[in-house]
Amino acid sequence: MNFESPQVHPVDLSPDGTTLAVCNTADDMLELFDVSGGLPVHAGSVAVGIDPVSVRFRTNAEVWVVNHISDSVSIVDVGAQHVFGTLTTLDEPADVVFAGSPTMAFVSCSQANTIQRFEPGNLATPPTNIVIEAEDPRALAVSPDGLTVYAAIFESGNGSTLIAGGNDGTLGGFPTNAAMEDAGNPYGGVNPPPNDPTDSNMDSNVWIPAKAANGTPPPVGLIVKKDSGGVWRDDNGEDWTPWITGASAGLSGRYTGWDLIDRDVAIVTSLNAPAPAVAYAEELMNICMALAVNPTSGDITVVGTDGINEVRFEPNVNGRFLRVNIGIVDDAAPTTTSVVDLNAGHLALAQPGGVDPYETPAVPQVDRDKSIGDPRGIVWNSAGTRGYITGMGSNNLVVVDANGDRVVTGATTELRPGPTGLVLSQDETRLYVLNRFDASVSVVDSSTLLETANVPFHDS
């Protein structure tokens, strides 16, 4: 019933651990809870801007709320429970963090592809705009020393692109079918190309006279993806690099040397300089939903999904069209990365030895239920040994170790509908999880992973 703006960091705990702040996105409210006794006790509601999606405490007495639709940040006096300052931002702000020396406020503006830097002590000072050369920066995090800001790129892409092949001229003739019809391409210009040249089964889509009654298949385009060696390949492993970036790139409407960026995390340093520096971590996944920094190792951890859109045709994909991943970036060497599939481990245990867990749909439902989908929040314990991740699409919570592997393979905590943001209590014995579609906060024991309480709030 509500326009669903994306919650990014909708829960935060005050530095002294006594106040929980929750974004009530549907009601344009900030909900405040007293958690000094462990169980959240509702302390009040504060009207903020339209569609609050993130909240962060600057001090025990002051909390900043990011309003996605009204393009603003509401600054709330926690004790008085009212807004005492409002900052106007660029289009669709998504998150805010505090970093630098002296401390500055950094606000990600998702549609403007910009991070804005504000001076908390002088709100009248115009912000500094830090351009992010990637699409849709949202979730933010800060390094343990407070001198680096990280931004997850929501629509980062995954290094895949289309070779046109179905253009009948009605689109203006560009790009043409020339690359797909080139006799020198991996399939000798045959279009549609075979799903697998060595496969004679029914998934082969090459037109043959014996099937002429079905009609001549129309020409199609082809999705190719750049591998770790920079080679553009289709799902058969065939090399299309000459038609993407090489000498024949003009046949696909490109130019020699054409490339496609795949930036997943923006790394902002020199935070207090007139023009902060920006670098990027790459090739983790294509939808980066949430991130957090491991407080011990300093590694940047990102959760999200990666589409396997280069795989052709529904019988081959058959519902397995993406992976749910955690990407880990070495803070000291951002080009050093690793990616872990959050579901492959427990699915593999449900298969005969050595079988790819995604090769068969015959996985018992009890094992499927251990999967996590649409991850929207991640938080680490202070030792950096346990990371807690919420699945908004699967209504659950899973735990990983510092390497991104599930701590208890397949173990999940079932939650109420739509878990998004989460925080650890100051003593780290409890997790407070916002269930967006249930309009409630779940209290979860951080050791047993059992829900011990649930506190609802009003949601229009």
Side-chain angles (χ1 to χ4, degrees), residues 184-419:
N185 76 28
Y187 303 109
V190 173
N191 191 355
N195 284 354
D196 183 346
T198 64
D199 187 355
S200 60
N201 294 323
M202 292 298 291
D203 67 349
S204 176
N205 63 316
V206 176
W207 182 84
I208 56 177
K211 297 182 180 179
N214 294 330
T216 301
V220 299
L222 184 68
I223 295 177
V224 294
K225 187 172 183 177
K226 185 166 61 173
D227 66 17
S228 58
V231 178
W232 295 89
R233 299 186 184 279
D234 63 20
D235 62 339
N236 293 330
E238 297 292 345
D239 182 0
W240 287 84
T241 305
W243 293 268
I244 299 298
T245 189
S248 299
L251 296 180
S252 69
R254 296 173 171 83
Y255 54 86
T256 302
W258 184 93
D259 203 358
L260 183 66
I261 64 171
D262 180 12
R263 294 169 174 170
D264 296 291
V265 179
I267 303 169
V268 185
T269 54
S270 303
L271 298 181
N272 296 82
V278 184
Y280 300 92
E282 304 178 342
E283 300 179 1
L284 301 176
M285 60 197 75
N286 74 293
I287 301 291
C288 301
M289 297 178 181
L291 84 165
V293 176
N294 185 306
T296 301
S297 67
D299 288 345
I300 311 151
T301 53
V302 187
V303 293
T305 60
D306 191 33
I308 53 172
N309 49 308
E310 76 278 9
V311 176
R312 286 174 282 164
F313 304 105
E314 185 275 335
N316 285 344
V317 181
N318 199 25
R320 300 182 292 275
F321 54 88
L322 58 78
R323 303 289 183 260
V324 179
N325 292 339
I326 179 170
I328 301 176
V329 181
D330 187 328
D331 69 314
T335 57
T336 302
T337 63
S338 61
V339 178
V340 177
D341 185 325
L342 289 172
N343 291 325
H346 72 270
L347 291 176
L349 289 178
Q351 307 295 316
V355 174
D356 185 330
Y358 293 107
E359 284 298 313
T360 173
V363 178
Q365 189 64 45
V366 65
D367 292 301
R368 295 189 188 196
D369 290 343
K370 297 173 184 176
S371 298
I372 183 171
D374 202 354
R376 292 286 170 158
I378 176 172
V379 66
W380 290 94
N381 65 2
S382 60
T385 55
R386 288 169 72 93
Y388 302 88
I389 303 170
T390 51
M392 186 176 75
S394 49
N395 301 331
N396 62 3
L397 178 149
V398 302
V399 184
V400 297
D401 63 19
N403 297 318
D405 296 316
R406 298 272 282 267
V407 171
V408 180
T409 303
T412 62
T413 297
E414 295 303 313
L415 294 169
R416 312 301 171 102

Side-chain angles (χ1 to χ4, degrees), residues 120-176:
N122 189 356
L123 300 180
T125 301
T128 297
N129 292 334
I130 306 167
V131 175
I132 304 301
E133 294 182 348
E135 185 63 32
D136 210 347
R138 292 191 187 179
L140 299 175
V142 179
S143 61
D145 63 8
L147 299 179
T148 305
V149 169
Y150 306 109
I153 309 303
F154 187 76
E155 298 176 1
S156 75
N158 63 353
S160 62
T161 189
L162 176 69
I163 303 175
N167 188 351
D168 60 3
T170 60
L171 300 177
F174 182 86
T176 69

Side-chain angles (χ1 to χ4, degrees), residues 369 371-377 379 388-399 411-423 430-446 448-455:
D369 290 343
S371 298
I372 183 171
D374 202 354
R376 292 286 170 158
V379 66
Y388 302 88
I389 303 170
T390 51
M392 186 176 75
S394 49
N395 301 331
N396 62 3
L397 178 149
V398 302
V399 184
T412 62
T413 297
E414 295 303 313
L415 294 169
R416 312 301 171 102
T420 52
L422 74 168
V423 292
R430 298 175 303 282
L431 287 156
Y432 299 110
V433 184
L434 170 59
N435 304 302
R436 174 166 188 175
F437 305 133
D438 191 58
S440 69
V441 175
S442 288
V443 183
V444 177
D445 186 297
S446 61
T448 65
L449 302 182
L450 297 176
E451 182 187 77
T452 59
N454 181 264
V455 180

